[in-house]
PDB file of all heavy atoms in Angstrom:
ATOM      1  N   TYR C 944     116.970 113.929  95.025  1.00  0.00           N
ATOM      2  CA  TYR C 944     116.696 113.660  96.447  1.00  0.00           C
ATOM      3  C   TYR C 944     117.957 113.680  97.316  1.00  0.00           C
ATOM      4  O   TYR C 944     118.007 114.369  98.339  1.00  0.00           O
ATOM      5  CB  TYR C 944     115.977 112.302  96.550  1.00  0.00           C
ATOM      6  CG  TYR C 944     115.617 111.931  97.958  1.00  0.00           C
ATOM      7  CD1 TYR C 944     114.702 112.689  98.676  1.00  0.00           C
ATOM      8  CD2 TYR C 944     116.196 110.815  98.572  1.00  0.00           C
ATOM      9  CE1 TYR C 944     114.346 112.345  99.956  1.00  0.00           C
ATOM     10  CE2 TYR C 944     115.838 110.466  99.854  1.00  0.00           C
ATOM     11  CZ  TYR C 944     114.920 111.197 100.559  1.00  0.00           C
ATOM     12  OH  TYR C 944     114.586 110.876 101.839  1.00  0.00           O
ATOM     13  N   GLY C 945     118.972 112.929  96.886  1.00  0.00           N
ATOM     14  CA  GLY C 945     120.197 112.837  97.693  1.00  0.00           C
ATOM     15  C   GLY C 945     120.870 114.194  97.843  1.00  0.00           C
ATOM     16  O   GLY C 945     121.431 114.512  98.884  1.00  0.00           O
ATOM     17  N   LEU C 946     120.815 114.992  96.764  1.00  0.00           N
ATOM     18  CA  LEU C 946     121.482 116.307  96.794  1.00  0.00           C
ATOM     19  C   LEU C 946     120.741 117.248  97.726  1.00  0.00           C
ATOM     20  O   LEU C 946     121.368 118.006  98.470  1.00  0.00           O
ATOM     21  CB  LEU C 946     121.523 116.895  95.377  1.00  0.00           C
ATOM     22  CG  LEU C 946     122.254 116.033  94.328  1.00  0.00           C
ATOM     23  CD1 LEU C 946     122.187 116.683  92.976  1.00  0.00           C
ATOM     24  CD2 LEU C 946     123.675 115.790  94.744  1.00  0.00           C
ATOM     25  N   LYS C 947     119.390 117.184  97.661  1.00  0.00           N
ATOM     26  CA  LYS C 947     118.574 118.023  98.546  1.00  0.00           C
ATOM     27  C   LYS C 947     118.932 117.751 100.006  1.00  0.00           C
ATOM     28  O   LYS C 947     119.074 118.661 100.809  1.00  0.00           O
ATOM     29  CB  LYS C 947     117.109 117.715  98.329  1.00  0.00           C
ATOM     30  CG  LYS C 947     116.392 118.688  97.412  1.00  0.00           C
ATOM     31  CD  LYS C 947     114.897 118.425  97.514  1.00  0.00           C
ATOM     32  CE  LYS C 947     114.264 118.587  96.142  1.00  0.00           C
ATOM     33  NZ  LYS C 947     112.982 117.903  96.030  1.00  0.00           N
ATOM     34  N   ASN C 948     119.057 116.453 100.296  1.00  0.00           N
ATOM     35  CA  ASN C 948     119.335 116.090 101.675  1.00  0.00           C
ATOM     36  C   ASN C 948     120.701 116.565 102.143  1.00  0.00           C
ATOM     37  O   ASN C 948     120.943 116.678 103.334  1.00  0.00           O
ATOM     38  CB  ASN C 948     119.231 114.584 101.867  1.00  0.00           C
ATOM     39  CG  ASN C 948     117.802 114.082 101.755  1.00  0.00           C
ATOM     40  OD1 ASN C 948     116.890 114.790 102.193  1.00  0.00           O
ATOM     41  ND2 ASN C 948     117.597 112.939 101.139  1.00  0.00           N
ATOM     42  N   ARG C 949     121.563 116.817 101.181  1.00  0.00           N
ATOM     43  CA  ARG C 949     122.869 117.345 101.575  1.00  0.00           C
ATOM     44  C   ARG C 949     122.881 118.867 101.618  1.00  0.00           C
ATOM     45  O   ARG C 949     123.904 119.480 101.852  1.00  0.00           O
ATOM     46  CB  ARG C 949     123.923 116.919 100.569  1.00  0.00           C
ATOM     47  CG  ARG C 949     124.149 115.436 100.553  1.00  0.00           C
ATOM     48  CD  ARG C 949     124.930 115.096  99.330  1.00  0.00           C
ATOM     49  NE  ARG C 949     125.537 113.781  99.464  1.00  0.00           N
ATOM     50  CZ  ARG C 949     126.593 113.419  98.765  1.00  0.00           C
ATOM     51  NH1 ARG C 949     127.173 114.273  97.949  1.00  0.00           N
ATOM     52  NH2 ARG C 949     127.069 112.239  98.906  1.00  0.00           N
ATOM     53  N   GLY C 950     121.710 119.430 101.341  1.00  0.00           N
ATOM     54  CA  GLY C 950     121.580 120.867 101.461  1.00  0.00           C
ATOM     55  C   GLY C 950     122.235 121.651 100.349  1.00  0.00           C
ATOM     56  O   GLY C 950     122.621 122.828 100.530  1.00  0.00           O
ATOM     57  N   LEU C 951     122.363 121.082  99.163  1.00  0.00           N
ATOM     58  CA  LEU C 951     122.912 121.847  98.036  1.00  0.00           C
ATOM     59  C   LEU C 951     121.938 122.916  97.588  1.00  0.00           C
ATOM     60  O   LEU C 951     120.729 122.732  97.665  1.00  0.00           O
ATOM     61  CB  LEU C 951     123.195 120.879  96.869  1.00  0.00           C
ATOM     62  CG  LEU C 951     124.646 120.497  96.644  1.00  0.00           C
ATOM     63  CD1 LEU C 951     125.115 119.659  97.827  1.00  0.00           C
ATOM     64  CD2 LEU C 951     124.783 119.707  95.359  1.00  0.00           C
ATOM     65  N   PRO C 952     122.457 124.038  97.103  1.00  0.00           N
ATOM     66  CA  PRO C 952     121.559 125.066  96.575  1.00  0.00           C
ATOM     67  C   PRO C 952     120.768 124.564  95.398  1.00  0.00           C
ATOM     68  O   PRO C 952     121.230 123.742  94.608  1.00  0.00           O
ATOM     69  CB  PRO C 952     122.482 126.209  96.166  1.00  0.00           C
ATOM     70  CG  PRO C 952     123.862 125.704  96.310  1.00  0.00           C
ATOM     71  CD  PRO C 952     123.862 124.438  97.070  1.00  0.00           C
ATOM     72  N   LYS C 953     119.550 125.093  95.267  1.00  0.00           N
ATOM     73  CA  LYS C 953     118.625 124.603  94.262  1.00  0.00           C
ATOM     74  C   LYS C 953     119.165 124.691  92.834  1.00  0.00           C
ATOM     75  O   LYS C 953     119.028 123.747  92.048  1.00  0.00           O
ATOM     76  CB  LYS C 953     117.322 125.422  94.334  1.00  0.00           C
ATOM     77  CG  LYS C 953     116.118 124.513  94.406  1.00  0.00           C
ATOM     78  CD  LYS C 953     114.863 125.312  94.555  1.00  0.00           C
ATOM     79  CE  LYS C 953     113.714 124.326  94.528  1.00  0.00           C
ATOM     80  NZ  LYS C 953     112.496 124.807  95.048  1.00  0.00           N
ATOM     81  N   ALA C 954     119.786 125.819  92.546  1.00  0.00           N
ATOM     82  CA  ALA C 954     120.313 126.033  91.186  1.00  0.00           C
ATOM     83  C   ALA C 954     121.337 124.967  90.828  1.00  0.00           C
ATOM     84  O   ALA C 954     121.375 124.414  89.737  1.00  0.00           O
ATOM     85  CB  ALA C 954     120.905 127.420  91.068  1.00  0.00           C
ATOM     86  N   GLU C 955     122.189 124.681  91.824  1.00  0.00           N
ATOM     87  CA  GLU C 955     123.241 123.695  91.570  1.00  0.00           C
ATOM     88  C   GLU C 955     122.634 122.300  91.348  1.00  0.00           C
ATOM     89  O   GLU C 955     123.063 121.571  90.458  1.00  0.00           O
ATOM     90  CB  GLU C 955     124.195 123.691  92.781  1.00  0.00           C
ATOM     91  CG  GLU C 955     125.507 123.021  92.471  1.00  0.00           C
ATOM     92  CD  GLU C 955     126.413 122.955  93.698  1.00  0.00           C
ATOM     93  OE1 GLU C 955     126.232 123.810  94.608  1.00  0.00           O
ATOM     94  OE2 GLU C 955     127.240 122.062  93.745  1.00  0.00           O
ATOM     95  N   ILE C 956     121.632 121.996  92.159  1.00  0.00           N
ATOM     96  CA  ILE C 956     120.949 120.695  91.989  1.00  0.00           C
ATOM     97  C   ILE C 956     120.396 120.588  90.562  1.00  0.00           C
ATOM     98  O   ILE C 956     120.626 119.610  89.856  1.00  0.00           O
ATOM     99  CB  ILE C 956     119.810 120.510  93.013  1.00  0.00           C
ATOM    100  CG1 ILE C 956     120.373 120.461  94.431  1.00  0.00           C
ATOM    101  CG2 ILE C 956     119.016 119.255  92.713  1.00  0.00           C
ATOM    102  CD1 ILE C 956     119.326 120.339  95.493  1.00  0.00           C
ATOM    103  N   ASN C 957     119.679 121.646  90.164  1.00  0.00           N
ATOM    104  CA  ASN C 957     119.078 121.645  88.853  1.00  0.00           C
ATOM    105  C   ASN C 957     120.122 121.442  87.756  1.00  0.00           C
ATOM    106  O   ASN C 957     119.928 120.672  86.820  1.00  0.00           O
ATOM    107  CB  ASN C 957     118.358 122.955  88.602  1.00  0.00           C
ATOM    108  CG  ASN C 957     116.901 122.830  88.956  1.00  0.00           C
ATOM    109  OD1 ASN C 957     116.348 121.736  88.850  1.00  0.00           O
ATOM    110  ND2 ASN C 957     116.283 123.916  89.354  1.00  0.00           N
ATOM    111  N   GLN C 958     121.232 122.143  87.905  1.00  0.00           N
ATOM    112  CA  GLN C 958     122.306 122.047  86.924  1.00  0.00           C
ATOM    113  C   GLN C 958     122.819 120.605  86.838  1.00  0.00           C
ATOM    114  O   GLN C 958     122.923 120.030  85.743  1.00  0.00           O
ATOM    115  CB  GLN C 958     123.447 123.006  87.351  1.00  0.00           C
ATOM    116  CG  GLN C 958     124.492 123.185  86.274  1.00  0.00           C
ATOM    117  CD  GLN C 958     123.865 123.676  84.967  1.00  0.00           C
ATOM    118  OE1 GLN C 958     123.037 124.630  84.961  1.00  0.00           O
ATOM    119  NE2 GLN C 958     124.166 123.005  83.855  1.00  0.00           N
ATOM    120  N   LYS C 959     123.075 120.029  87.990  1.00  0.00           N
ATOM    121  CA  LYS C 959     123.629 118.673  88.000  1.00  0.00           C
ATOM    122  C   LYS C 959     122.633 117.659  87.415  1.00  0.00           C
ATOM    123  O   LYS C 959     123.017 116.779  86.651  1.00  0.00           O
ATOM    124  CB  LYS C 959     123.939 118.261  89.449  1.00  0.00           C
ATOM    125  CG  LYS C 959     125.233 118.863  89.966  1.00  0.00           C
ATOM    126  CD  LYS C 959     125.536 118.380  91.363  1.00  0.00           C
ATOM    127  CE  LYS C 959     126.827 119.002  91.836  1.00  0.00           C
ATOM    128  NZ  LYS C 959     127.803 118.028  92.275  1.00  0.00           N
ATOM    129  N   VAL C 960     121.372 117.823  87.794  1.00  0.00           N
ATOM    130  CA  VAL C 960     120.358 116.887  87.285  1.00  0.00           C
ATOM    131  C   VAL C 960     120.266 117.011  85.779  1.00  0.00           C
ATOM    132  O   VAL C 960     120.229 116.005  85.053  1.00  0.00           O
ATOM    133  CB  VAL C 960     118.993 117.149  87.966  1.00  0.00           C
ATOM    134  CG1 VAL C 960     117.907 116.362  87.268  1.00  0.00           C
ATOM    135  CG2 VAL C 960     119.043 116.773  89.431  1.00  0.00           C
ATOM    136  N   THR C 961     120.214 118.259  85.286  1.00  0.00           N
ATOM    137  CA  THR C 961     120.100 118.455  83.839  1.00  0.00           C
ATOM    138  C   THR C 961     121.313 117.864  83.113  1.00  0.00           C
ATOM    139  O   THR C 961     121.144 117.193  82.083  1.00  0.00           O
ATOM    140  CB  THR C 961     119.990 119.953  83.527  1.00  0.00           C
ATOM    141  OG1 THR C 961     119.027 120.504  84.416  1.00  0.00           O
ATOM    142  CG2 THR C 961     119.574 120.188  82.102  1.00  0.00           C
ATOM    143  N   ASP C 962     122.492 118.108  83.644  1.00  0.00           N
ATOM    144  CA  ASP C 962     123.694 117.569  83.000  1.00  0.00           C
ATOM    145  C   ASP C 962     123.666 116.056  82.921  1.00  0.00           C
ATOM    146  O   ASP C 962     123.892 115.451  81.872  1.00  0.00           O
ATOM    147  CB  ASP C 962     124.960 118.014  83.780  1.00  0.00           C
ATOM    148  CG  ASP C 962     125.220 119.498  83.606  1.00  0.00           C
ATOM    149  OD1 ASP C 962     124.552 120.112  82.740  1.00  0.00           O
ATOM    150  OD2 ASP C 962     126.072 120.032  84.322  1.00  0.00           O
ATOM    151  N   ALA C 963     123.368 115.451  84.065  1.00  0.00           N
ATOM    152  CA  ALA C 963     123.352 113.998  84.108  1.00  0.00           C
ATOM    153  C   ALA C 963     122.277 113.433  83.175  1.00  0.00           C
ATOM    154  O   ALA C 963     122.489 112.460  82.477  1.00  0.00           O
ATOM    155  CB  ALA C 963     123.132 113.510  85.550  1.00  0.00           C
ATOM    156  N   ALA C 964     121.121 114.085  83.182  1.00  0.00           N
ATOM    157  CA  ALA C 964     120.023 113.618  82.355  1.00  0.00           C
ATOM    158  C   ALA C 964     120.410 113.688  80.864  1.00  0.00           C
ATOM    159  O   ALA C 964     120.089 112.788  80.095  1.00  0.00           O
ATOM    160  CB  ALA C 964     118.772 114.443  82.617  1.00  0.00           C
ATOM    161  N   LYS C 965     121.118 114.739  80.494  1.00  0.00           N
ATOM    162  CA  LYS C 965     121.541 114.860  79.098  1.00  0.00           C
ATOM    163  C   LYS C 965     122.532 113.768  78.741  1.00  0.00           C
ATOM    164  O   LYS C 965     122.422 113.132  77.693  1.00  0.00           O
ATOM    165  CB  LYS C 965     122.182 116.224  78.875  1.00  0.00           C
ATOM    166  CG  LYS C 965     121.118 117.315  78.719  1.00  0.00           C
ATOM    167  CD  LYS C 965     121.643 118.493  77.924  1.00  0.00           C
ATOM    168  CE  LYS C 965     120.544 119.523  77.764  1.00  0.00           C
ATOM    169  NZ  LYS C 965     120.877 120.828  78.342  1.00  0.00           N
ATOM    170  N   MET C 966     123.445 113.548  79.675  1.00  0.00           N
ATOM    171  CA  MET C 966     124.487 112.536  79.435  1.00  0.00           C
ATOM    172  C   MET C 966     123.812 111.170  79.230  1.00  0.00           C
ATOM    173  O   MET C 966     124.269 110.382  78.397  1.00  0.00           O
ATOM    174  CB  MET C 966     125.402 112.515  80.646  1.00  0.00           C
ATOM    175  CG  MET C 966     126.579 111.611  80.491  1.00  0.00           C
ATOM    176  SD  MET C 966     127.997 112.160  81.444  1.00  0.00           S
ATOM    177  CE  MET C 966     127.401 112.222  83.099  1.00  0.00           C
ATOM    178  N   LEU C 967     122.739 110.917  79.977  1.00  0.00           N
ATOM    179  CA  LEU C 967     122.100 109.592  79.903  1.00  0.00           C
ATOM    180  C   LEU C 967     120.916 109.588  78.926  1.00  0.00           C
ATOM    181  O   LEU C 967     120.200 108.602  78.804  1.00  0.00           O
ATOM    182  CB  LEU C 967     121.590 109.183  81.293  1.00  0.00           C
ATOM    183  CG  LEU C 967     122.682 108.843  82.289  1.00  0.00           C
ATOM    184  CD1 LEU C 967     122.176 108.917  83.705  1.00  0.00           C
ATOM    185  CD2 LEU C 967     123.214 107.440  82.002  1.00  0.00           C
ATOM    186  N   ARG C 968     120.701 110.716  78.263  1.00  0.00           N
ATOM    187  CA  ARG C 968     119.576 110.860  77.337  1.00  0.00           C
ATOM    188  C   ARG C 968     118.227 110.549  77.980  1.00  0.00           C
ATOM    189  O   ARG C 968     117.416 109.781  77.435  1.00  0.00           O
ATOM    190  CB  ARG C 968     119.813 109.977  76.089  1.00  0.00           C
ATOM    191  CG  ARG C 968     120.828 110.639  75.144  1.00  0.00           C
ATOM    192  CD  ARG C 968     121.222 109.725  74.020  1.00  0.00           C
ATOM    193  NE  ARG C 968     122.143 108.701  74.471  1.00  0.00           N
ATOM    194  CZ  ARG C 968     121.951 107.406  74.278  1.00  0.00           C
ATOM    195  NH1 ARG C 968     120.874 106.969  73.697  1.00  0.00           N
ATOM    196  NH2 ARG C 968     122.863 106.547  74.707  1.00  0.00           N
ATOM    197  N   ILE C 969     118.001 111.091  79.160  1.00  0.00           N
ATOM    198  CA  ILE C 969     116.705 110.924  79.777  1.00  0.00           C
ATOM    199  C   ILE C 969     116.076 112.311  80.069  1.00  0.00           C
ATOM    200  O   ILE C 969     115.105 112.406  80.798  1.00  0.00           O
ATOM    201  CB  ILE C 969     116.749 110.125  81.103  1.00  0.00           C
ATOM    202  CG1 ILE C 969     117.883 110.629  81.980  1.00  0.00           C
ATOM    203  CG2 ILE C 969     116.879 108.651  80.838  1.00  0.00           C
ATOM    204  CD1 ILE C 969     117.897 110.010  83.353  1.00  0.00           C
ATOM    205  N   HIS C 970     116.635 113.375  79.455  1.00  0.00           N
ATOM    206  CA  HIS C 970     116.146 114.707  79.808  1.00  0.00           C
ATOM    207  C   HIS C 970     114.692 114.951  79.356  1.00  0.00           C
ATOM    208  O   HIS C 970     114.030 115.816  79.863  1.00  0.00           O
ATOM    209  CB  HIS C 970     117.060 115.793  79.260  1.00  0.00           C
ATOM    210  CG  HIS C 970     117.451 115.550  77.815  1.00  0.00           C
ATOM    211  ND1 HIS C 970     118.483 114.692  77.484  1.00  0.00           N
ATOM    212  CD2 HIS C 970     116.961 116.009  76.679  1.00  0.00           C
ATOM    213  CE1 HIS C 970     118.607 114.652  76.174  1.00  0.00           C
ATOM    214  NE2 HIS C 970     117.681 115.438  75.667  1.00  0.00           N
ATOM    215  N   ASP C 971     114.198 114.108  78.435  1.00  0.00           N
ATOM    216  CA  ASP C 971     112.802 114.263  78.026  1.00  0.00           C
ATOM    217  C   ASP C 971     111.816 113.701  79.044  1.00  0.00           C
ATOM    218  O   ASP C 971     110.630 113.967  78.985  1.00  0.00           O
ATOM    219  CB  ASP C 971     112.554 113.563  76.689  1.00  0.00           C
ATOM    220  CG  ASP C 971     113.239 114.314  75.562  1.00  0.00           C
ATOM    221  OD1 ASP C 971     113.550 115.519  75.768  1.00  0.00           O
ATOM    222  OD2 ASP C 971     113.445 113.710  74.494  1.00  0.00           O
ATOM    223  N   TYR C 972     112.352 112.881  79.942  1.00  0.00           N
ATOM    224  CA  TYR C 972     111.432 112.184  80.879  1.00  0.00           C
ATOM    225  C   TYR C 972     111.502 112.766  82.269  1.00  0.00           C
ATOM    226  O   TYR C 972     110.970 112.172  83.208  1.00  0.00           O
ATOM    227  CB  TYR C 972     111.759 110.698  80.976  1.00  0.00           C
ATOM    228  CG  TYR C 972     112.067 110.045  79.661  1.00  0.00           C
ATOM    229  CD1 TYR C 972     113.255 109.407  79.437  1.00  0.00           C
ATOM    230  CD2 TYR C 972     111.127 110.089  78.616  1.00  0.00           C
ATOM    231  CE1 TYR C 972     113.543 108.807  78.240  1.00  0.00           C
ATOM    232  CE2 TYR C 972     111.401 109.491  77.400  1.00  0.00           C
ATOM    233  CZ  TYR C 972     112.605 108.844  77.209  1.00  0.00           C
ATOM    234  OH  TYR C 972     112.891 108.256  76.028  1.00  0.00           O
ATOM    235  N   LEU C 973     112.188 113.878  82.454  1.00  0.00           N
ATOM    236  CA  LEU C 973     112.498 114.346  83.798  1.00  0.00           C
ATOM    237  C   LEU C 973     111.277 114.502  84.694  1.00  0.00           C
ATOM    238  O   LEU C 973     111.353 114.354  85.901  1.00  0.00           O
ATOM    239  CB  LEU C 973     113.254 115.652  83.741  1.00  0.00           C
ATOM    240  CG  LEU C 973     114.761 115.483  83.597  1.00  0.00           C
ATOM    241  CD1 LEU C 973     115.445 116.835  83.459  1.00  0.00           C
ATOM    242  CD2 LEU C 973     115.348 114.728  84.774  1.00  0.00           C
ATOM    243  N   ASP C 974     110.106 114.805  84.065  1.00  0.00           N
ATOM    244  CA  ASP C 974     108.931 115.056  84.914  1.00  0.00           C
ATOM    245  C   ASP C 974     107.988 113.865  84.941  1.00  0.00           C
ATOM    246  O   ASP C 974     106.872 113.977  85.409  1.00  0.00           O
ATOM    247  CB  ASP C 974     108.237 116.322  84.442  1.00  0.00           C
ATOM    248  CG  ASP C 974     109.105 117.523  84.718  1.00  0.00           C
ATOM    249  OD1 ASP C 974     109.594 117.621  85.860  1.00  0.00           O
ATOM    250  OD2 ASP C 974     109.355 118.319  83.806  1.00  0.00           O
ATOM    251  N   ARG C 975     108.453 112.722  84.434  1.00  0.00           N
ATOM    252  CA  ARG C 975     107.616 111.537  84.520  1.00  0.00           C
ATOM    253  C   ARG C 975     107.877 110.781  85.825  1.00  0.00           C
ATOM    254  O   ARG C 975     108.886 110.961  86.455  1.00  0.00           O
ATOM    255  CB  ARG C 975     107.909 110.602  83.350  1.00  0.00           C
ATOM    256  CG  ARG C 975     107.536 111.210  82.047  1.00  0.00           C
ATOM    257  CD  ARG C 975     107.103 110.165  81.077  1.00  0.00           C
ATOM    258  NE  ARG C 975     107.022 110.697  79.746  1.00  0.00           N
ATOM    259  CZ  ARG C 975     107.176 109.997  78.651  1.00  0.00           C
ATOM    260  NH1 ARG C 975     107.456 108.700  78.768  1.00  0.00           N
ATOM    261  NH2 ARG C 975     107.066 110.535  77.471  1.00  0.00           N
ATOM    262  N   GLN C 976     106.899 109.900  86.142  1.00  0.00           N
ATOM    263  CA  GLN C 976     107.106 109.043  87.296  1.00  0.00           C
ATOM    264  C   GLN C 976     107.712 107.720  86.820  1.00  0.00           C
ATOM    265  O   GLN C 976     107.506 107.318  85.678  1.00  0.00           O
ATOM    266  CB  GLN C 976     105.775 108.784  87.971  1.00  0.00           C
ATOM    267  CG  GLN C 976     105.088 110.068  88.403  1.00  0.00           C
ATOM    268  CD  GLN C 976     104.694 110.008  89.858  1.00  0.00           C
ATOM    269  OE1 GLN C 976     104.296 108.996  90.370  1.00  0.00           O
ATOM    270  NE2 GLN C 976     104.762 111.136  90.537  1.00  0.00           N
ATOM    271  N   PRO C 977     108.428 107.044  87.700  1.00  0.00           N
ATOM    272  CA  PRO C 977     109.102 105.807  87.309  1.00  0.00           C
ATOM    273  C   PRO C 977     108.165 104.798  86.635  1.00  0.00           C
ATOM    274  O   PRO C 977     108.575 104.106  85.717  1.00  0.00           O
ATOM    275  CB  PRO C 977     109.634 105.261  88.620  1.00  0.00           C
ATOM    276  CG  PRO C 977     109.825 106.442  89.487  1.00  0.00           C
ATOM    277  CD  PRO C 977     108.755 107.416  89.087  1.00  0.00           C
ATOM    278  N   ASN C 978     106.911 104.720  87.066  1.00  0.00           N
ATOM    279  CA  ASN C 978     106.037 103.705  86.498  1.00  0.00           C
ATOM    280  C   ASN C 978     105.606 104.040  85.054  1.00  0.00           C
ATOM    281  O   ASN C 978     104.938 103.256  84.404  1.00  0.00           O
ATOM    282  CB  ASN C 978     104.810 103.423  87.388  1.00  0.00           C
ATOM    283  CG  ASN C 978     103.921 104.643  87.553  1.00  0.00           C
ATOM    284  OD1 ASN C 978     104.187 105.692  86.967  1.00  0.00           O
ATOM    285  ND2 ASN C 978     102.895 104.513  88.351  1.00  0.00           N
ATOM    286  N   GLN C 979     105.981 105.218  84.597  1.00  0.00           N
ATOM    287  CA  GLN C 979     105.702 105.563  83.201  1.00  0.00           C
ATOM    288  C   GLN C 979     106.893 105.280  82.290  1.00  0.00           C
ATOM    289  O   GLN C 979     106.887 105.696  81.136  1.00  0.00           O
ATOM    290  CB  GLN C 979     105.297 107.031  83.084  1.00  0.00           C
ATOM    291  CG  GLN C 979     104.050 107.374  83.869  1.00  0.00           C
ATOM    292  CD  GLN C 979     103.855 108.872  84.001  1.00  0.00           C
ATOM    293  OE1 GLN C 979     104.712 109.568  84.528  1.00  0.00           O
ATOM    294  NE2 GLN C 979     102.737 109.368  83.508  1.00  0.00           N
TER     295      GLN C 979
END
Side-chain angles (χ1 to χ4, degrees):
Chain C
Y944 181 64
L946 302 178
K947 262 191 217 158
N948 290 324
R949 295 166 162 203
L951 256 67
K953 231 177 176 161
E955 197 183 335
I956 295 178
N957 265 332
Q958 191 56 49
K959 282 182 180 235
V960 170
T961 313
D962 289 350
K965 281 205 178 119
M966 185 152 57
L967 289 160
R968 283 173 284 127
I969 47 173
H970 46 278
D971 288 342
Y972 318 122
L973 274 176
D974 293 310
R975 294 212 192 153
Q976 302 233 324
N978 62 4
Q979 298 167 302

